[in-house]
Amino acid sequence: MSTHPVAEVPDHLFADDRAEARWRARFHAARVSLPDWALQAPDRTVYISNASGVWEVYAWDRATDTHRQVTDRPNGTLHATVSPDGEQIWWFADTDGDEFGTWVAEPFAGRPVDAEAEPGVVGAKAGYPAGLEIGDEVSVVGVADDDGTTIYLSRGGAEAEVIYQNEHDGGVAALSYDETLLAIAHSEHGDNRHPALRVLSVADGSTVAEKWDGKGKGLSGISFSPVSGDTRLLVLHERRGREELLIWDVAADTEQEIVLDLPGEVDADWYTDGTALLVAHTHQARNTLHRYDIATGTLSTLDTPPGTIGSAHTRPDGTVEYSWSNAAEPFAVRALFGDGTDRILLTPPGDRAPSSASLTDAFVETENGTVHALIARPVDAPEGPLPTVFTLHGGPHAADEDRFSAYRAMWVDAGFAVVHVNYRGSTGYGSAWRDAIEGRPGLTELADVAAVHEWAVSSGVADPARCVVNGASWGGYLVLLALGTQPDLWAAGVAGVPVADYLAAYEDEMEPLRAFDRALFGGSPAEVGALYEECSPITYVDQVRVPVLVLAGENDPRCPIRQIDNYLDRLAARDQPYEVYRYDAGHGSLVVAETIKQSLIEVHFALRALKLR
């Protein structure tokens, strides 16, 4: 392997102390996730926070208003929940962000000094998480590895038994409130991007019911009704070309489709008495919340501020709790009470993050449809084109939204316009838009990016000589592919944890992603190898003509390090200007100081590449 040039890490971004303190304060400001509460003990909740400087698990006893940090690990902890009786906290223990590990449990009040958390499900093997459901007597955990999917079931804390195993990708979806039925998602038909549902008997593992809508139409099991003996399962479907809701009564084998007069797409969960649904509506990168009365079919809109709602749930008294932000205003966990009043529910310690620039919308017409883009400009910027960073989201099945981002704000503070592109492959714009990348991933999205680039230049937003393409994960993949296939558009590229050599990535990545790739490309590299090569950045590495920055995690199971090194070696052989930053974690970092360091490296690199510094 070549010795690659290491990225430059400056001491500061701005000479002005106030400007420097402002962008750093946005990253340092403590954040909290929406607290997850115990069904039978609503005062016992858990949440994730970066208050310590690392994202970790916290317990909050609302009755006494006491908070306790549960985990303290060098590279953080991201996944946790609380048992229905509120007695145990479960969290996922991996190694340095590699996402491979086991679920462990400890008492809500804390474990003894020097004691370790115990395995949540005794006898379950380690692997990548594939769902978790905890009941009073039954616990179910899904594990993904090179063998496919294994689902373990434990009764009364006894040694786990295998209730499902299959070579295809799948996972745990939902456990009925009385713990008699288990819904699982599976892709035994060969397409994990459009899963089917199966309901098993907890008593003996036999199949109770099946549901599959056919090729190209996925089903997602959200949750069973939170009422004992109720066999209704809330399901997300896409029968009419967008994500919508239905209620499947498993025992009666009947369906109730929920048809709502709302544009865009919806998700939902139950109110705690099972009579209504809390509906989250997504349209043009923003969210609204609604209450749907199941018996009457009445939909009412809840009064929430404009922006993006990350998650939401209801409490036994009907209070709706939700996490919220928009591009200008930082994250908050809020509560909407039955009398219509709304207030901050949980305030993290320390100062609030400074505000930032708002986003405006652009709808760019192309021969393939309308591409939605979101644009931020420095509030004090002069009229006319600016240096512009086109930030491409990961996923690909995700979307950029009107939410707060310390990262975006940092680019804006540095004088850049920021353009987000919700290219084909993005969610929130219908099934056809999301699935349009099938059979030609990467190159399809970049056609949309090029169209938005042309719009940004022609409309006076972007200086064509100072356009940077930037992204992480799938976005990082698109960055490297763009630099090789669209060399005339870009003055520099910043690729975080990218797919760089698709054939090598397929060999080394986690099995659920191999299944995703097979569904996306229409087969494995052995079957459609030429297509993988056509859509791989390393195929076009000799066309790269501008400076490149690559950031990579040593323990990344999604975009593994070897395939990135293959790409960097090819850059090195060409004497192409590039820099590399490697860090000792996985697919991103949960450490605030590390996030700040990487963000500083990226903006500093772009300023130097554009000769603005």
Side-chain angles (χ1 to χ4, degrees):
M1 185 182 75
S2 303
T3 300
H4 301 298
V6 177
E8 186 175 308
V9 186
D11 293 329
H12 58 270
L13 187 61
F14 299 107
D16 180 79
D17 290 342
R18 287 179 298 179
E20 183 72 10
R22 183 177 175 82
W23 78 261
R24 289 180 181 271
R26 295 194 189 98
F27 285 94
H28 281 296
R31 287 176 51 189
V32 293
S33 68
L34 181 68
D36 183 22
W37 57 275
L39 288 173
Q40 298 157 19
D43 284 338
R44 292 196 164 186
T45 64
V46 298
Y47 60 89
I48 311 297
S49 176
N50 65 347
S52 70
V54 181
W55 286 95
E56 297 287 6
V57 182
Y58 288 76
W60 176 27
D61 188 332
R62 298 193 189 194
T64 59
D65 196 25
T66 55
H67 299 255
R68 176 178 72 86
Q69 184 174 333
V70 177
T71 56
D72 184 9
R73 306 194 306 147
N75 283 298
T77 312
L78 196 57
H79 303 291
T81 190
V82 60
S83 61
D85 60 8
E87 292 299 317
Q88 287 190 315
I89 294 172
W90 290 53
W91 51 272
F92 189 76
D94 66 351
T95 302
D96 293 329
D98 66 358
E99 302 181 49
F100 191 94
T102 59
W103 285 96
V104 297
E106 63 177 82
F108 185 87
R111 58 185 185 270
V113 177
D114 297 328
E116 298 293 328
E118 300 290 336
V121 174
V122 177
K125 63 180 177 179
Y128 301 107
L132 172 71
E133 286 289 320
I134 308 168
D136 290 326
E137 295 297 324
V138 173
S139 299
V140 187
V141 61
V143 176
D145 60 13
D146 287 347
D147 295 329
T149 303
T150 306
I151 297 178
Y152 294 91
L153 186 147
S154 172
R155 306 173 194 276
E159 182 104 359
E161 60 189 84
V162 176
I163 196 171
Y164 175 84
Q165 202 287 320
N166 194 274
E167 63 179 316
H168 294 94
D169 188 34
V172 177
L175 179 68
S176 64
Y177 190 78
D178 60 9
E179 302 175 40
T180 62
L181 300 174
L182 174 67
I184 67 170
H186 71 84
S187 58
E188 294 172 14
H189 53 285
D191 179 4
N192 78 337
R193 297 179 62 252
H194 303 93
L197 291 174
R198 178 176 298 151
V199 179
L200 305 178
S201 166
V202 169
D204 59 11
S206 61
T207 298
V208 175
E210 301 261 16
K211 191 172 291 294
W212 183 42
D213 280 351
K215 184 177 180 180
K217 296 180 179 180
L219 294 168
S220 299
I222 299 173
S223 60
F224 279 98
S225 164
V227 177
S228 186
D230 193 340
T231 63
R232 293 177 300 163
L233 176 65
L234 183 60
V235 175
L236 205 61
H237 72 89
E238 48 185 318
R239 296 170 179 174
R240 288 179 289 272
R242 61 176 184 155
E243 291 187 337
E244 297 179 276
L245 301 164
L246 66 84
I247 296 174
W248 177 23
D249 190 325
V250 174
D253 195 22
T254 58
E255 285 185 4
Q256 178 185 353
E257 288 195 11
I258 310 298
V259 180
L260 303 176
D261 186 20
L262 294 171
E265 298 185 332
V266 296
D267 200 350
D269 209 341
W270 300 89
Y271 274 76
T272 57
D273 62 2
T275 65
L277 302 178
L278 177 64
V279 177
H281 168 232
T282 300
H283 181 56
Q284 295 179 352
R286 295 166 180 89
N287 304 121
T288 53
L289 289 178
H290 308 263
R291 176 189 167 96
Y292 178 79
D293 186 275
I294 296 170
T296 66
T298 302
L299 183 73
S300 54
T301 300
L302 304 182
D303 186 13
T304 57
T308 294
I309 294 167
S311 53
H313 60 221
T314 62
R315 298 272 292 173
D317 64 358
T319 299
V320 174
E321 298 177 347
Y322 62 101
S323 59
W324 169 90
S325 75
N326 62 30
E329 297 299 323
F331 295 92
V333 173
R334 308 184 67 92
L336 178 62
F337 298 95
D339 62 2
T341 59
D342 185 295
R343 65 172 175 82
I344 300 295
L345 173 69
L346 181 58
T347 302
D351 294 331
R352 185 173 182 266
S355 60
S356 185
S358 60
L359 288 169
T360 58
D361 299 89
F363 298 94
V364 181
E365 300 298 331
T366 77
E367 62 182 2
N368 298 303
T370 303
V371 184
H372 183 201
L374 299 164
I375 299 95
R377 283 176 57 93
V379 293
D380 57 353
E383 293 295 325
L386 296 174
T388 301
V389 57
F390 290 74
T391 297
L392 310 181
H393 67 73
H397 298 338
D400 278 312
E401 301 167 316
D402 185 5
R403 63 176 179 83
F404 192 76
S405 168
Y407 179 74
R408 179 202 307 121
M410 181 182 183
W411 285 94
V412 172
D413 284 0
F416 286 85
V418 178
V419 177
H420 299 287
V421 184
N422 281 335
Y423 50 73
R424 278 172 291 167
S426 302
T427 52
Y429 300 88
S431 302
W433 190 260
R434 181 199 65 208
D435 293 345
I437 66 174
E438 289 181 357
R440 199 170 181 264
L443 299 172
T444 300
E445 298 94 297
L446 290 180
D448 296 340
V449 174
V452 173
H453 178 280
E454 181 181 3
W455 168 86
V457 170
S458 64
S459 64
V461 170
D463 179 346
R466 295 187 293 176
C467 288
V468 178
V469 61
N470 157 280
S473 189
W474 193 265
Y477 158 64
L478 293 178
V479 167
L480 296 184
L481 194 61
L483 295 178
T485 62
Q486 302 170 337
D488 295 334
L489 299 187
W490 311 110
V494 177
V497 291
V499 175
D501 176 354
Y502 225 124
L503 293 176
Y506 183 89
E507 292 175 357
D508 296 350
E509 67 192 5
M510 58 171 66
E511 173 54 30
L513 284 184
R514 291 193 198 115
F516 182 88
D517 286 340
R518 291 192 295 271
L520 192 60
F521 282 85
S524 68
E527 296 165 313
V528 290
L531 182 59
Y532 279 81
E533 290 186 17
E534 181 188 359
C535 299
S536 179
I538 202 167
T539 301
Y540 309 95
V541 67
D542 290 341
Q543 278 73 257
V544 176
R545 306 199 294 257
V546 298
V548 187
L549 171 66
V550 176
L551 302 94
E554 297 283 2
N555 307 316
D556 191 343
R558 298 172 180 267
C559 299
I561 197 70
R562 179 176 70 93
Q563 54 94 27
I564 292 175
D565 281 331
N566 292 346
Y567 186 90
L568 296 175
D569 289 344
R570 289 283 300 275
L571 286 179
R574 295 182 51 233
D575 199 26
Q576 170 65 35
Y578 71 101
E579 295 178 10
V580 182
Y581 178 75
R582 298 165 78 114
Y583 57 95
D584 189 21
H587 197 64
S589 177
L590 301 179
V591 179
V592 173
E594 178 63 26
T595 302
I596 291 174
K597 182 180 181 181
Q598 292 182 25
S599 302
L600 179 58
I601 288 170
E602 293 184 26
V603 178
H604 179 66
F605 171 84
L607 290 170
R608 288 185 291 120
L610 300 186
K611 296 181 172 51
L612 297 173
R613 175 157 300 179

